[in-house]
Amino acid sequence: VLGRPYWEVFPKNHGPLASCLHAVEKAEEEEEEEEEEEVRLPGGEVFLSRSRAVLDEAGRYRCSRHDLTDITALDHARQRLERLNRLFRTISLGNQALVRAEDEATLAQDFCDVLVKNGGYRMAWIGLAMSDEGRSILPLGAQGIGMEVLRGLGLTWADDERGQAPSGTCIRTGQPVLRHNLPEEIPAAYKEITRDLGVRESLSLPLIVEDRAIVMLTVSAASHDLLGDDEIKTLTEMAGDLAYGIRQLRVRAERLGALEKLDQSLDHAVTAIAATVEMRDPYTAGHQRRVAELACAIAREMGLPEDLVQGLRMAGTVHDIGKIHVPAEILSSPAKLTEAEFEIIKTHPRAGHEILKGIDFSWPVAEIVLQHHEKLDGSGYPQGLKADAILLEARILAVADVVEAMASHRPYRPGFGVFPALQEISRNKGRLYDKAAVGACLRLFLEGSYSL
């Protein structure tokens, strides 16, 4: 710098002299003071400048002293450390998005949010390669650009001019695509939007799912030097994590679909079994279905979880399946049952349990069926269980069964109606029937306009 004018070495209004002049301004009020600041030169060098104005006895400026220490390497190391911290934070937040994700679109959007808001990139978007005639790319998530804007660009991974964009090339080849001077290396159709967004470079990474690149992640930066080796390595790792997350979501969706089909098949089978019982006992046709519906309504009124309600519905639908072992002439007899006939009827809970216990339900259906005629005071059958020894579902089913049975017609008697049935359970709540279940049942009929 020897022999060169000061303003050629240091930027305008910046540098040691600026610090010195600031010290002169302060000298009127304060003692001589050293100013310290960092000076960045146009060539990229960074100096730590310590400047002191030397004043005479009258407090006037005599000269200045400047000590400059080259901290360029230290500054680069500090910037790299900040960049690594940013990248590690981005990876951490990306992993959190993976753990929380419930579907592909949510995962894609959360990932893009993390990359732009925490990663420091200008734009990020994730696209799904479609298998339609135009080989279009469907945006799944985006940040820094609107989803509608992306959809309107007509993005494609076809081997034509528009498909030469980084995103299309990435999907088509299954390889990362890095563009350091994006406005000059992009198809003409996309140049205007690139300028409007202010992006200068981009990195598109393939997400290998089901052994091929069907999803793509594009990250764009506003400068030429942000996507360096560290960023590329980190983003490649994140793309691999994202691909894994999408694969897991698809596997889970397939499993849930299979389970749903299995549940439907089990539902149909149980309904068919219930219909078989009703064919032998036409007078109680619909009884199991109505009891199941009332039991579920009671459980929901009690605020019980939906999973328990579903198990209760399954048990209620087949709670009298054991009657298939009871002779048809007893079931349809118009005369009052003899004591011996009633003893035969009382075998149906255990018979139902024997039929159902070998089926792998997700709920204790067989036990609920076995206990649905038990009473809190131990006077029920077939085991004479008391209070909490009876499953909650069975206690609810018992209330629904009594109400429906009393309200409906039987071969040997007319129906009593709903209100006598409600009086029966109200009179015996806490002694024969569960208090909470009875209370919920009464609210349904008296306040909620429930009807059988």
Side-chain angles (χ1 to χ4, degrees):
V1 302
L2 291 177
R4 294 174 58 191
Y6 175 88
W7 54 86
E8 286 185 5
V9 178
F10 296 104
K12 184 179 180 181
N13 297 326
H14 194 60
L17 185 57
S19 299
C20 178
L21 295 177
H22 179 60
V24 173
E25 292 172 359
K26 293 172 63 178
E28 296 179 1
E29 301 176 0
E30 302 176 10
E31 296 294 329
E32 295 181 30
E33 191 174 286
E34 187 175 74
E35 290 287 321
E36 182 179 290
E37 68 171 332
E38 290 182 6
V39 180
R40 297 181 179 274
L41 303 189
E45 296 91 342
V46 183
F47 289 89
L48 178 63
S49 168
R50 294 184 179 89
S51 304
R52 177 188 292 273
V54 181
L55 310 179
D56 61 16
E57 293 179 356
R60 293 172 300 187
Y61 175 79
R62 280 186 59 200
C63 62
S64 61
R65 173 178 174 166
H66 311 284
D67 294 324
L68 302 179
T69 304
D70 188 346
I71 59 169
T72 304
L74 179 63
D75 183 71
H76 288 174
R78 183 176 59 195
Q79 289 186 25
R80 186 171 187 275
L81 181 60
E82 291 174 353
R83 188 166 63 248
L84 289 174
N85 285 336
R86 171 175 53 81
L87 291 174
F88 290 145
R89 185 172 65 252
T90 303
I91 290 175
S92 175
L93 293 171
N95 288 336
Q96 291 178 35
L98 283 172
V99 172
R100 292 193 306 266
E102 294 293 331
D103 56 74
E104 292 181 32
T106 302
L107 174 59
Q109 187 58 54
D110 288 348
F111 238 72
C112 292
D113 291 345
V114 166
L115 288 168
V116 173
K117 295 177 181 179
N118 301 97
Y121 302 103
R122 175 62 62 87
M123 182 181 75
W125 70 281
I126 295 171
L128 176 65
M130 306 301 289
S131 299
D132 54 6
E133 185 178 351
R135 294 190 171 185
S136 59
I137 303 175
L138 175 67
L140 290 179
Q143 183 57 255
I145 183 173
M147 291 284 281
E148 292 302 319
V149 175
L150 272 174
R151 294 190 184 102
L153 292 176
L155 296 161
T156 177
W157 59 284
D159 194 7
D160 55 22
E161 182 182 358
R162 297 179 74 90
Q164 301 307 311
S167 55
T169 304
C170 171
I171 291 175
R172 192 171 55 255
T173 64
Q175 298 295 321
V177 177
L178 178 64
R179 296 285 186 264
H180 282 300
N181 192 8
L182 192 60
E184 303 302 323
E185 302 177 74
I186 200 169
Y190 306 125
K191 287 185 181 292
E192 183 178 354
I193 186 67
T194 302
R195 287 193 297 268
D196 291 345
L197 292 170
V199 291
R200 306 291 296 175
E201 64 177 357
S202 74
L203 174 65
S204 295
L205 294 164
L207 275 61
I208 308 300
V209 181
E210 298 170 0
D211 297 327
R212 65 188 185 95
I214 63 172
V215 186
M216 172 279 318
L217 165 66
T218 290
V219 175
S220 302
S223 61
H224 288 295
D225 56 356
L226 187 59
L227 293 172
D229 292 340
D230 291 331
E231 281 76 9
I232 293 173
K233 181 179 178 181
T234 300
L235 291 170
T236 301
E237 180 181 337
M238 290 186 71
D241 292 342
L242 181 57
Y244 174 79
I246 291 175
R247 284 196 297 273
Q248 293 303 109
L249 285 172
R250 294 190 174 188
V251 168
R252 186 170 69 181
E254 290 177 2
R255 288 176 178 171
L256 289 175
L259 286 173
E260 187 175 349
K261 288 182 180 179
L262 187 61
D263 285 344
Q264 289 175 354
S265 298
L266 186 60
D267 235 11
H268 295 157
V270 167
T271 303
I273 293 171
T276 303
V277 176
E278 292 181 350
M279 287 176 65
R280 296 187 71 250
D281 184 12
Y283 290 100
T284 59
H287 166 71
Q288 294 185 112
R289 175 181 54 80
R290 290 191 294 272
V291 169
E293 290 174 355
L294 177 55
C296 290
I298 292 172
R300 291 191 177 101
E301 178 68 21
M302 293 170 66
L304 299 177
E306 193 60 29
D307 183 64
L308 184 145
V309 174
Q310 292 307 314
L312 184 54
R313 181 183 61 82
M314 188 73 70
T317 303
V318 293
H319 73 276
D320 277 341
I321 191 174
K323 286 184 177 179
I324 202 167
H325 286 284
V326 178
E329 56 270 21
I330 294 179
L331 293 175
S332 57
S333 173
K336 185 177 180 180
L337 296 176
T338 66
E339 187 175 342
E341 289 173 333
F342 187 58
E343 288 300 319
I344 294 174
I345 289 284
K346 287 168 65 175
T347 64
H348 80 274
R350 193 174 294 281
H353 178 265
E354 290 298 314
I355 294 170
L356 298 171
K357 69 179 183 180
I359 302 176
D360 188 18
F361 291 103
S362 299
W363 310 275
V365 171
E367 289 299 315
I368 298 170
V369 169
L370 177 64
Q371 297 178 12
H372 79 276
H373 276 293
E374 300 289 353
K375 299 294 186 290
L376 297 184
D377 64 355
S379 63
Y381 60 88
Q383 297 171 290
L385 299 178
K386 292 184 178 181
D388 291 341
I390 308 169
L391 291 173
L392 175 60
E393 295 96 318
R395 302 201 300 268
I396 295 172
L397 194 60
V399 171
D401 191 28
V402 167
V403 171
E404 202 288 331
M406 288 186 65
S408 302
H409 293 287
R410 287 292 183 268
Y412 48 87
R413 62 154 176 82
F416 296 111
V418 170
F419 287 103
L422 297 181
Q423 288 178 331
E424 160 65 19
I425 62 172
S426 179
R427 185 168 53 249
N428 290 293
K429 69 177 179 180
R431 187 177 70 85
L432 302 181
Y433 311 114
D434 184 88
K435 282 185 178 180
V438 170
C441 185
L442 293 174
R443 288 195 299 274
L444 285 174
F445 283 97
L446 302 179
E447 301 174 15
S449 302
Y450 188 90
S451 61
L452 291 171

